[in-house]
Amino acid sequence: MIFRTLVAAGVAASCFFALPAAANESTLAKVKQTSTLKLGYRENSAPFSFVGDDKKAHGYSIDLCMRVAGDIAKQLDIPKLDVQWVPVTAQSRFEALKNGEIDIECGNTTQTLARRADFDFSLMTFVDGAALLYRRGENPKSLADVKGQRIAVVKGTTTEKAMEQLVASEKLGILLLKVKDHDEALAALQNKTATAYAADRTVLITTALLGGDGQTYTIAEHQFTYEPYGLMMRRDADLRLAVDSSLAHLYRSGEIGPILQNWFGALGKPGELLMVMILLNGLPE
């Protein structure tokens, strides 16, 4: 009886200690085994990630992830990789990665040291900064001019944290209207629930152009954050290296040019900071 008990305990213990290994199986090994790669995308973060009229994911980050997926398929010798697109929000993207619902998040997520404590990030994919969008003719000269008024900001973003710190430090009495996404923020600006909308400059420009309903807007010149975007993943050195290798070749070869032109050409020539980012991240083999 004692022998049986010891054997049972040993089996239970071996199963217990085997769990972390299974849980920590590398993403690339899982992709190889299942021939499936799950990519998360934002539904309304144009021009980086959004749903088109065909109900499919489109955008700058989507194109980068498709390039990454193709290179991973070649690396793992997978004849037909099943790329599954999973919608996420600014709030759900982190849990989706932790829970294994997605393998890579393809949006406009800012790399921060706090986020790097929990997730891996690729080489930088874009450089932006937060600004304020106003209705045309209502652009104040400074934040002091919107004292006591509402500024819309999407929950779960770095802009939300930046605005909270800015409001607290300046003691302006500004009220933050925290919304779920860019569409809701623009609606608040249109119906005058908010005086301004705080978000990354490129997102503001594109959101206003696509969803303006004929209204015209002004973007404040002042840029109050630094937003280095990257593709976000679970902590996995092999996957990160595969993603970085793909992006570095894309930058180094110049093949990133047509992709940039396709998604940002209408906004004018790429800024010098973005071009330097591409040059610095085109790492040699």
Side-chain angles (χ1 to χ4, degrees):
M1 182 66 178
I2 295 176
F3 176 75
R4 290 181 180 176
T5 302
L6 290 174
V7 170
V11 171
S14 66
C15 291
F16 174 80
F17 288 113
L19 284 176
N24 293 330
E25 179 186 18
S26 76
T27 303
L28 292 182
K30 183 183 67 174
V31 172
K32 175 68 173 177
Q33 181 181 11
T34 63
S35 295
T36 301
L37 181 66
K38 294 177 289 186
L39 302 179
Y41 72 98
R42 300 279 294 279
E43 295 184 291
N44 60 351
S45 284
F48 299 96
S49 177
F50 63 97
V51 177
D53 293 336
D54 58 1
K55 307 303 180 183
K56 295 181 180 179
H58 294 274
Y60 172 72
S61 298
I62 302 303
D63 283 358
L64 297 187
C65 277
M66 286 300 296
R67 174 62 177 256
V68 166
D71 288 343
I72 287 177
K74 292 178 183 177
Q75 176 184 331
L76 300 180
D77 193 24
I78 301 175
K80 186 174 178 58
L81 180 66
D82 179 17
V83 177
Q84 297 182 358
W85 292 98
V86 181
V88 296
T89 66
Q91 297 79 37
S92 70
R93 52 188 164 171
F94 306 106
E95 285 302 316
L97 276 174
K98 288 181 180 179
N99 296 336
E101 297 173 35
I102 61 174
D103 300 314
I104 305 172
E105 190 256 343
C106 311
N108 53 319
T109 297
T110 300
Q111 304 188 48
T112 67
L113 294 176
R115 287 174 176 174
R116 277 177 168 267
D118 297 318
F119 302 97
D120 273 346
F121 281 87
S122 70
L123 295 173
M124 291 170 61
T125 56
F126 200 80
V127 179
D128 211 343
L132 295 175
L133 182 73
Y134 298 93
R135 292 178 291 271
R136 178 64 60 85
E138 299 181 14
N139 188 357
K141 295 180 180 179
S142 69
L143 277 177
D145 293 338
V146 292
K147 185 175 182 179
Q149 300 183 48
R150 288 187 177 89
I151 295 180
V153 62
V154 177
K155 292 182 290 186
T157 62
T158 52
T159 306
E160 177 192 12
K161 292 183 179 180
M163 286 302 301
E164 288 175 339
Q165 295 171 357
L166 183 64
V167 170
S169 64
E170 296 292 340
K171 298 180 180 179
L172 297 173
I174 292 174
L175 303 176
L176 293 183
L177 178 62
K178 299 183 179 182
V179 298
K180 67 177 182 179
D181 55 32
H182 302 298
D183 290 342
E184 190 173 314
L186 192 60
L189 195 58
Q190 291 171 347
N191 63 31
K192 298 188 178 182
T193 304
T195 300
Y197 166 32
D200 295 348
R201 181 178 292 274
T202 304
V203 171
L204 288 178
I205 293 173
T206 309
T207 300
L209 288 175
L210 295 179
D213 288 338
Q215 296 190 37
T216 53
Y217 300 91
T218 300
I219 295 181
E221 293 183 5
H222 180 62
Q223 191 164 296
F224 54 89
T225 66
Y226 163 56
E227 310 287 344
Y229 295 168
L231 305 180
M232 187 168 59
M233 300 158 271
R234 287 183 299 280
R235 302 301 293 269
D236 187 323
D238 290 339
L239 177 62
R240 186 183 69 241
L241 180 60
V243 173
D244 284 349
S245 297
S246 181
L247 292 177
H249 181 267
L250 187 65
Y251 300 157
R252 193 173 62 246
S253 66
E255 294 172 41
I256 187 64
I259 299 176
L260 285 171
Q261 178 62 32
N262 183 44
W263 294 110
F264 303 104
L267 305 181
K269 184 180 179 181
E272 184 175 330
L273 186 59
L274 179 60
M275 300 313 295
V276 170
M277 182 218 81
I278 292 171
L279 177 64
L280 293 178
N281 285 274
L283 304 180
E285 289 291 345

